[in-house]
Every structure is written in structure tokens, then in C-alpha cells.
Amino acid sequence: MKLGERKQAPPGGRAIPNGGACPALPALLLLLCALQLPATTFYVTISGLGGEPDYEQRFKMWADDIDSSLKRAGGDSNVITLRAPTRDVIRARFAEVSKQAKPSDSLVVMLIGHGSYDGVEYKFNIPGPDIAGAELASLMNQVPATRQLVVNMTSASGGSIEFLRRTNRVVIAATKTGGEKNATIFPRYWAEALRDPAADADKNEAVSALEAFHFAEHKTSEFFEAQKRLASEHAVLEDTGKGEGERNPSAENGEGRLAAAFPLVRLGANAAAARDPAKRPLLARKEELEQAIDQLKYQKAAMPADLYKQQLTQLLLELAKTQEALDQ
């Protein structure tokens, strides 16, 4: 969706400009107002300094794999891939994104490479002076996109969580602490999650941040088991803005709610619909409804059972109608 373009009205609603008031909807669907599909998703993938040929090749290969998947996924996206950039190059690209992005947009930052943590400060290894976790957070804070995801896949990445976490930001780290300093395998499987339909656990032809996390974390664990090696990395997710990260995010521990409603990449028919201007409004509506269902499931424990069932049923009916229209 381009700047100034008006969204097509959903059934029973009215068209609204980007960032405008919510359409007229049944009471239970008002929660969709907070889940309008972002106009543009900015993807910034950065592969760091390898230090030796083997790692240089791996980091570039994983970054290229991610770049390819994002460009195939369709929709309104801005894909930026930086391979072994300097700190000045990173600053310059974030400055460009900050000027282009709007509050209705999303930002996804993915870091691949080596990291370090001395007990106080996390640093991402790049050519020339390294960039600290605090500066990475500052660069992201300057981007006006309301919804943000950062996937730090470096060694010692757990040490960056305290700097990167913030309200409305999903933080994924390949290691649970800054003390896990071995080179990580997690980015290999994160890249795989963006192109493998098996990562789409709910089979809605889109991979959410939470689904990608579960897929990559499970594959990483399997890797160490198959190699009969003690796991040297344990991926965690934090999206409350105040936690240390959870290996098993769930409604019980409060982690994963934002990640579940953060569409990361589209697959199959959804990717095709995203490339079809005539079907994009229906796809946007479908994704809004799916996100609302995910949010409702996290609220289930605090709701009367009858109310939960009623709202879930109505959302599912609305989703079925929208899917039927998409399939025509």
C-alpha cells in the first residue's frame, strides 16, 4: 500500500486512510483496530564479520537465503541486506529507513555473525569498530514503525536482550545469555523457517515470528542431539518489554503474544495474493482476523468461557467468509 492510498472497506465498514480511525465493526471485532496490517514491512538483514573463510561463507549464505525468501514472499516490503558493513554504513541505512517508515509500518532486523559480551556490554562484530547493543537499540528506536522485531542470531546474543527489549518489540536471541559464546547454528534454521512450509504450524500460508522461532529452536536442538553434542546455544524470545526471554513462550508465562500476531513471511497462495492488487485488501482482512484469533487465545484464561467461545466462533466465521472470497 502506497502513502496516501486508502484501504478498501471490509464488509460492513468504511474505507479509511492509513493511520485513520477504525472501520465500523461488530463489538468483538473492535480489537482488530489495533491490528491493522502495516503498510510496509522494512526488513534489515545484517551479516557480520566472519573472521575466517568458513564463517564468512556461512554468514553470507544465510543472509542471501533470507534475502531470497523475503523477496519471493510478495506484498509491500522493503528488503535491505547488508553483508559485512561498517558501523557508518549501518547508521546510514537506518537513517534512510527512519525517514521512509511510518507508524503503521513494521520493522524486522536480523543479525547474523559473531557477538561478544563482557558482562556489561554486548557488541556485534563487524569490520572496523564493533557496534554495541545499546546503539543498535537506539537506531531501532529512531524508526517510527510501531511494530518491531529483532532477531539477534549471533554468539552471546542473550547479552543484548536487556538493551533491545521494548514495548511493541519482539526480541529473539540465539543464546539465552551473553555467556553462550560459541558460534551459533540457529541462523541456519531461521533462514530455513522463512521458506519451509513445515514452519507454518497453523497452515494459514504465513509464518509468524513465533512459528519461525519454534521451528528454528526445535531444529537447533535436533542438530545437537544428532551430533551427540552438548547444546551450546539455547534460543529465547521476549516480547513483553521487560523479561529476560523464554525458551518456551506461552500464555502461561506471558511471552509470545506479540510474536504470534507478527506475520513474518507469506507462503503459497498468500504470497500470490500479495502480488495481486485485486486480492491484497482481502488478504489484509484475512491476516487481521488471524491475528485477532491469536490475540484472543492469549486472553482465554481471563475470559468467561461462553464469551470466549462466542467471540472465537464469530471470528472464525468471518475468517471463513474472507477465505472463500480469496479463493474465488
mmCIF file of all heavy atoms in Angstrom, residues 295-324:
data_model
loop_
_atom_site.group_PDB
_atom_site.id
_atom_site.type_symbol
_atom_site.label_atom_id
_atom_site.label_comp_id
_atom_site.label_asym_id
_atom_site.label_seq_id
_atom_site.Cartn_x
_atom_site.Cartn_y
_atom_site.Cartn_z
ATOM 1 N N GLN A 295 -4.605 -13.332 19.294
ATOM 2 C CA GLN A 295 -4.680 -12.487 20.486
ATOM 3 C C GLN A 295 -5.753 -12.996 21.443
ATOM 4 O O GLN A 295 -5.562 -13.019 22.667
ATOM 5 C CB GLN A 295 -4.991 -11.043 20.091
ATOM 6 C CG GLN A 295 -3.893 -10.368 19.278
ATOM 7 C CD GLN A 295 -2.619 -10.168 20.065
ATOM 8 O OE1 GLN A 295 -2.598 -9.467 21.078
ATOM 9 N NE2 GLN A 295 -1.557 -10.790 19.618
ATOM 10 N N LEU A 296 -6.890 -13.405 20.890
ATOM 11 C CA LEU A 296 -7.987 -13.903 21.713
ATOM 12 C C LEU A 296 -7.576 -15.157 22.483
ATOM 13 O O LEU A 296 -7.932 -15.329 23.655
ATOM 14 C CB LEU A 296 -9.200 -14.194 20.827
ATOM 15 C CG LEU A 296 -10.500 -14.594 21.545
ATOM 16 C CD1 LEU A 296 -11.003 -13.438 22.412
ATOM 17 C CD2 LEU A 296 -11.563 -14.983 20.525
ATOM 18 N N LYS A 297 -6.797 -16.021 21.860
ATOM 19 C CA LYS A 297 -6.354 -17.250 22.526
ATOM 20 C C LYS A 297 -5.485 -16.938 23.740
ATOM 21 O O LYS A 297 -5.534 -17.648 24.750
ATOM 22 C CB LYS A 297 -5.603 -18.137 21.535
ATOM 23 C CG LYS A 297 -6.515 -18.775 20.484
ATOM 24 C CD LYS A 297 -5.730 -19.600 19.483
ATOM 25 C CE LYS A 297 -6.664 -20.243 18.463
ATOM 26 N NZ LYS A 297 -5.916 -21.019 17.431
ATOM 27 N N TYR A 298 -4.689 -15.864 23.645
ATOM 28 C CA TYR A 298 -3.869 -15.469 24.787
ATOM 29 C C TYR A 298 -4.712 -14.875 25.919
ATOM 30 O O TYR A 298 -4.296 -14.852 27.066
ATOM 31 C CB TYR A 298 -2.793 -14.464 24.354
ATOM 32 C CG TYR A 298 -1.481 -15.123 24.011
ATOM 33 C CD1 TYR A 298 -1.294 -15.742 22.779
ATOM 34 C CD2 TYR A 298 -0.431 -15.157 24.918
ATOM 35 C CE1 TYR A 298 -0.102 -16.364 22.458
ATOM 36 C CE2 TYR A 298 0.771 -15.777 24.610
ATOM 37 C CZ TYR A 298 0.930 -16.381 23.376
ATOM 38 O OH TYR A 298 2.111 -17.005 23.064
ATOM 39 N N GLN A 299 -5.920 -14.390 25.581
ATOM 40 C CA GLN A 299 -6.799 -13.797 26.592
ATOM 41 C C GLN A 299 -7.771 -14.810 27.194
ATOM 42 O O GLN A 299 -8.521 -14.486 28.119
ATOM 43 C CB GLN A 299 -7.595 -12.648 25.967
ATOM 44 C CG GLN A 299 -6.729 -11.512 25.445
ATOM 45 C CD GLN A 299 -7.496 -10.543 24.567
ATOM 46 O OE1 GLN A 299 -8.712 -10.659 24.397
ATOM 47 N NE2 GLN A 299 -6.793 -9.582 23.994
ATOM 48 N N LYS A 300 -7.754 -16.022 26.678
ATOM 49 C CA LYS A 300 -8.755 -17.034 27.049
ATOM 50 C C LYS A 300 -8.852 -17.258 28.553
ATOM 51 O O LYS A 300 -9.949 -17.324 29.117
ATOM 52 C CB LYS A 300 -8.427 -18.356 26.353
ATOM 53 C CG LYS A 300 -9.393 -19.481 26.678
ATOM 54 C CD LYS A 300 -9.022 -20.760 25.927
ATOM 55 C CE LYS A 300 -9.989 -21.882 26.254
ATOM 56 N NZ LYS A 300 -9.639 -23.147 25.531
ATOM 57 N N ALA A 301 -7.717 -17.366 29.235
ATOM 58 C CA ALA A 301 -7.723 -17.682 30.663
ATOM 59 C C ALA A 301 -8.416 -16.611 31.499
ATOM 60 O O ALA A 301 -8.934 -16.904 32.578
ATOM 61 C CB ALA A 301 -6.286 -17.876 31.157
ATOM 62 N N ALA A 302 -8.439 -15.377 31.003
ATOM 63 C CA ALA A 302 -9.023 -14.270 31.772
ATOM 64 C C ALA A 302 -10.450 -13.961 31.354
ATOM 65 O O ALA A 302 -11.048 -12.998 31.846
ATOM 66 C CB ALA A 302 -8.162 -13.016 31.611
ATOM 67 N N MET A 303 -11.032 -14.787 30.466
ATOM 68 C CA MET A 303 -12.376 -14.517 29.948
ATOM 69 C C MET A 303 -13.369 -15.593 30.385
ATOM 70 O O MET A 303 -12.987 -16.753 30.569
ATOM 71 C CB MET A 303 -12.357 -14.484 28.412
ATOM 72 C CG MET A 303 -11.512 -13.391 27.794
ATOM 73 S SD MET A 303 -11.471 -13.546 25.986
ATOM 74 C CE MET A 303 -13.208 -13.242 25.578
ATOM 75 N N PRO A 304 -14.654 -15.233 30.544
ATOM 76 C CA PRO A 304 -15.685 -16.254 30.757
ATOM 77 C C PRO A 304 -15.711 -17.198 29.553
ATOM 78 O O PRO A 304 -15.566 -16.752 28.408
ATOM 79 C CB PRO A 304 -16.986 -15.440 30.849
ATOM 80 C CG PRO A 304 -16.539 -14.060 31.246
ATOM 81 C CD PRO A 304 -15.214 -13.863 30.591
ATOM 82 N N ALA A 305 -15.888 -18.467 29.798
ATOM 83 C CA ALA A 305 -15.827 -19.463 28.737
ATOM 84 C C ALA A 305 -16.832 -19.194 27.618
ATOM 85 O O ALA A 305 -16.510 -19.326 26.431
ATOM 86 C CB ALA A 305 -16.055 -20.860 29.317
ATOM 87 N N ASP A 306 -18.046 -18.796 27.994
ATOM 88 C CA ASP A 306 -19.073 -18.541 26.977
ATOM 89 C C ASP A 306 -18.702 -17.367 26.084
ATOM 90 O O ASP A 306 -18.924 -17.400 24.863
ATOM 91 C CB ASP A 306 -20.428 -18.272 27.649
ATOM 92 C CG ASP A 306 -21.029 -19.522 28.271
ATOM 93 O OD1 ASP A 306 -20.529 -20.625 27.972
ATOM 94 O OD2 ASP A 306 -21.987 -19.395 29.062
ATOM 95 N N LEU A 307 -18.142 -16.319 26.687
ATOM 96 C CA LEU A 307 -17.757 -15.148 25.908
ATOM 97 C C LEU A 307 -16.616 -15.492 24.954
ATOM 98 O O LEU A 307 -16.610 -15.075 23.789
ATOM 99 C CB LEU A 307 -17.338 -14.008 26.832
ATOM 100 C CG LEU A 307 -16.887 -12.714 26.152
ATOM 101 C CD1 LEU A 307 -18.009 -12.136 25.294
ATOM 102 C CD2 LEU A 307 -16.417 -11.698 27.189
ATOM 103 N N TYR A 308 -15.655 -16.262 25.458
ATOM 104 C CA TYR A 308 -14.531 -16.673 24.605
ATOM 105 C C TYR A 308 -15.048 -17.481 23.413
ATOM 106 O O TYR A 308 -14.651 -17.231 22.268
ATOM 107 C CB TYR A 308 -13.541 -17.507 25.410
ATOM 108 C CG TYR A 308 -12.462 -18.142 24.555
ATOM 109 C CD1 TYR A 308 -11.362 -17.401 24.120
ATOM 110 C CD2 TYR A 308 -12.544 -19.483 24.160
ATOM 111 C CE1 TYR A 308 -10.378 -17.979 23.312
ATOM 112 C CE2 TYR A 308 -11.574 -20.062 23.363
ATOM 113 C CZ TYR A 308 -10.487 -19.306 22.954
ATOM 114 O OH TYR A 308 -9.526 -19.873 22.162
ATOM 115 N N LYS A 309 -15.916 -18.446 23.673
ATOM 116 C CA LYS A 309 -16.446 -19.288 22.605
ATOM 117 C C LYS A 309 -17.223 -18.466 21.587
ATOM 118 O O LYS A 309 -17.094 -18.664 20.372
ATOM 119 C CB LYS A 309 -17.342 -20.375 23.198
ATOM 120 C CG LYS A 309 -17.886 -21.357 22.170
ATOM 121 C CD LYS A 309 -18.702 -22.453 22.827
ATOM 122 C CE LYS A 309 -19.241 -23.443 21.786
ATOM 123 N NZ LYS A 309 -20.048 -24.504 22.416
ATOM 124 N N GLN A 310 -18.020 -17.507 22.076
ATOM 125 C CA GLN A 310 -18.819 -16.671 21.184
ATOM 126 C C GLN A 310 -17.926 -15.830 20.273
ATOM 127 O O GLN A 310 -18.124 -15.775 19.058
ATOM 128 C CB GLN A 310 -19.720 -15.756 22.009
ATOM 129 C CG GLN A 310 -20.545 -14.782 21.156
ATOM 130 C CD GLN A 310 -21.234 -13.727 22.009
ATOM 131 O OE1 GLN A 310 -20.895 -13.536 23.164
ATOM 132 N NE2 GLN A 310 -22.205 -13.050 21.417
ATOM 133 N N GLN A 311 -16.923 -15.190 20.867
ATOM 134 C CA GLN A 311 -16.056 -14.330 20.067
ATOM 135 C C GLN A 311 -15.201 -15.138 19.092
ATOM 136 O O GLN A 311 -15.010 -14.732 17.947
ATOM 137 C CB GLN A 311 -15.165 -13.491 20.992
ATOM 138 C CG GLN A 311 -15.961 -12.486 21.818
ATOM 139 C CD GLN A 311 -15.062 -11.462 22.492
ATOM 140 O OE1 GLN A 311 -13.843 -11.486 22.334
ATOM 141 N NE2 GLN A 311 -15.657 -10.564 23.254
ATOM 142 N N LEU A 312 -14.712 -16.287 19.544
ATOM 143 C CA LEU A 312 -13.916 -17.127 18.666
ATOM 144 C C LEU A 312 -14.740 -17.619 17.482
ATOM 145 O O LEU A 312 -14.274 -17.612 16.334
ATOM 146 C CB LEU A 312 -13.348 -18.317 19.447
ATOM 147 C CG LEU A 312 -12.484 -19.292 18.637
ATOM 148 C CD1 LEU A 312 -11.254 -18.582 18.073
ATOM 149 C CD2 LEU A 312 -12.068 -20.479 19.498
ATOM 150 N N THR A 313 -15.988 -18.028 17.747
ATOM 151 C CA THR A 313 -16.862 -18.517 16.677
ATOM 152 C C THR A 313 -17.106 -17.441 15.634
ATOM 153 O O THR A 313 -17.028 -17.700 14.424
ATOM 154 C CB THR A 313 -18.197 -19.000 17.267
ATOM 155 O OG1 THR A 313 -17.966 -20.081 18.182
ATOM 156 C CG2 THR A 313 -19.137 -19.470 16.159
ATOM 157 N N GLN A 314 -17.379 -16.220 16.095
ATOM 158 C CA GLN A 314 -17.652 -15.142 15.145
ATOM 159 C C GLN A 314 -16.413 -14.786 14.326
ATOM 160 O O GLN A 314 -16.507 -14.523 13.123
ATOM 161 C CB GLN A 314 -18.178 -13.915 15.898
ATOM 162 C CG GLN A 314 -19.568 -14.157 16.489
ATOM 163 C CD GLN A 314 -20.185 -12.889 17.053
ATOM 164 O OE1 GLN A 314 -20.102 -11.828 16.458
ATOM 165 N NE2 GLN A 314 -20.787 -12.998 18.230
ATOM 166 N N LEU A 315 -15.258 -14.798 14.964
ATOM 167 C CA LEU A 315 -14.033 -14.527 14.228
ATOM 168 C C LEU A 315 -13.764 -15.607 13.186
ATOM 169 O O LEU A 315 -13.356 -15.323 12.059
ATOM 170 C CB LEU A 315 -12.850 -14.423 15.194
ATOM 171 C CG LEU A 315 -12.732 -13.131 16.007
ATOM 172 C CD1 LEU A 315 -11.703 -13.295 17.115
ATOM 173 C CD2 LEU A 315 -12.361 -11.963 15.103
ATOM 174 N N LEU A 316 -13.991 -16.862 13.555
ATOM 175 C CA LEU A 316 -13.762 -17.971 12.625
ATOM 176 C C LEU A 316 -14.730 -17.925 11.441
ATOM 177 O O LEU A 316 -14.343 -18.220 10.306
ATOM 178 C CB LEU A 316 -13.893 -19.306 13.362
ATOM 179 C CG LEU A 316 -12.767 -19.634 14.353
ATOM 180 C CD1 LEU A 316 -13.098 -20.882 15.152
ATOM 181 C CD2 LEU A 316 -11.431 -19.808 13.622
ATOM 182 N N LEU A 317 -15.974 -17.538 11.707
ATOM 183 C CA LEU A 317 -16.949 -17.402 10.624
ATOM 184 C C LEU A 317 -16.537 -16.292 9.663
ATOM 185 O O LEU A 317 -16.607 -16.448 8.441
ATOM 186 C CB LEU A 317 -18.345 -17.118 11.197
ATOM 187 C CG LEU A 317 -19.060 -18.298 11.855
ATOM 188 C CD1 LEU A 317 -20.341 -17.833 12.544
ATOM 189 C CD2 LEU A 317 -19.380 -19.381 10.824
ATOM 190 N N GLU A 318 -16.115 -15.173 10.234
ATOM 191 C CA GLU A 318 -15.658 -14.057 9.405
ATOM 192 C C GLU A 318 -14.432 -14.461 8.590
ATOM 193 O O GLU A 318 -14.296 -14.111 7.418
ATOM 194 C CB GLU A 318 -15.320 -12.864 10.311
ATOM 195 C CG GLU A 318 -14.856 -11.621 9.578
ATOM 196 C CD GLU A 318 -16.002 -10.784 9.042
ATOM 197 O OE1 GLU A 318 -17.172 -11.128 9.316
ATOM 198 O OE2 GLU A 318 -15.719 -9.811 8.343
ATOM 199 N N LEU A 319 -13.537 -15.233 9.206
ATOM 200 C CA LEU A 319 -12.342 -15.698 8.513
ATOM 201 C C LEU A 319 -12.708 -16.633 7.361
ATOM 202 O O LEU A 319 -12.129 -16.552 6.269
ATOM 203 C CB LEU A 319 -11.419 -16.407 9.499
ATOM 204 C CG LEU A 319 -10.123 -16.999 8.931
ATOM 205 C CD1 LEU A 319 -9.269 -15.900 8.299
ATOM 206 C CD2 LEU A 319 -9.342 -17.720 10.029
ATOM 207 N N ALA A 320 -13.665 -17.526 7.598
ATOM 208 C CA ALA A 320 -14.093 -18.463 6.553
ATOM 209 C C ALA A 320 -14.679 -17.724 5.355
ATOM 210 O O ALA A 320 -14.414 -18.080 4.194
ATOM 211 C CB ALA A 320 -15.111 -19.443 7.125
ATOM 212 N N LYS A 321 -15.478 -16.685 5.613
ATOM 213 C CA LYS A 321 -16.058 -15.902 4.523
ATOM 214 C C LYS A 321 -14.967 -15.192 3.719
ATOM 215 O O LYS A 321 -15.016 -15.127 2.494
ATOM 216 C CB LYS A 321 -17.051 -14.883 5.091
ATOM 217 C CG LYS A 321 -18.304 -15.482 5.699
ATOM 218 C CD LYS A 321 -19.174 -14.393 6.310
ATOM 219 C CE LYS A 321 -20.401 -14.977 6.997
ATOM 220 N NZ LYS A 321 -21.219 -13.908 7.643
ATOM 221 N N THR A 322 -14.000 -14.656 4.439
ATOM 222 C CA THR A 322 -12.917 -13.930 3.764
ATOM 223 C C THR A 322 -12.065 -14.888 2.929
ATOM 224 O O THR A 322 -11.683 -14.569 1.811
ATOM 225 C CB THR A 322 -12.038 -13.221 4.807
ATOM 226 O OG1 THR A 322 -12.866 -12.364 5.610
ATOM 227 C CG2 THR A 322 -10.962 -12.387 4.129
ATOM 228 N N GLN A 323 -11.790 -16.070 3.476
ATOM 229 C CA GLN A 323 -11.016 -17.060 2.739
ATOM 230 C C GLN A 323 -11.765 -17.515 1.488
ATOM 231 O O GLN A 323 -11.154 -17.698 0.422
ATOM 232 C CB GLN A 323 -10.711 -18.264 3.640
ATOM 233 C CG GLN A 323 -9.823 -19.313 2.979
ATOM 234 C CD GLN A 323 -8.437 -18.768 2.665
ATOM 235 O OE1 GLN A 323 -7.720 -18.357 3.564
ATOM 236 N NE2 GLN A 323 -8.052 -18.791 1.398
ATOM 237 N N GLU A 324 -13.076 -17.680 1.601
ATOM 238 C CA GLU A 324 -13.884 -18.083 0.448
ATOM 239 C C GLU A 324 -13.798 -17.035 -0.662
ATOM 240 O O GLU A 324 -13.663 -17.377 -1.843
ATOM 241 C CB GLU A 324 -15.347 -18.273 0.879
ATOM 242 C CG GLU A 324 -16.253 -18.756 -0.246
ATOM 243 C CD GLU A 324 -17.692 -18.954 0.215
ATOM 244 O OE1 GLU A 324 -17.999 -18.631 1.378
ATOM 245 O OE2 GLU A 324 -18.500 -19.438 -0.603
#
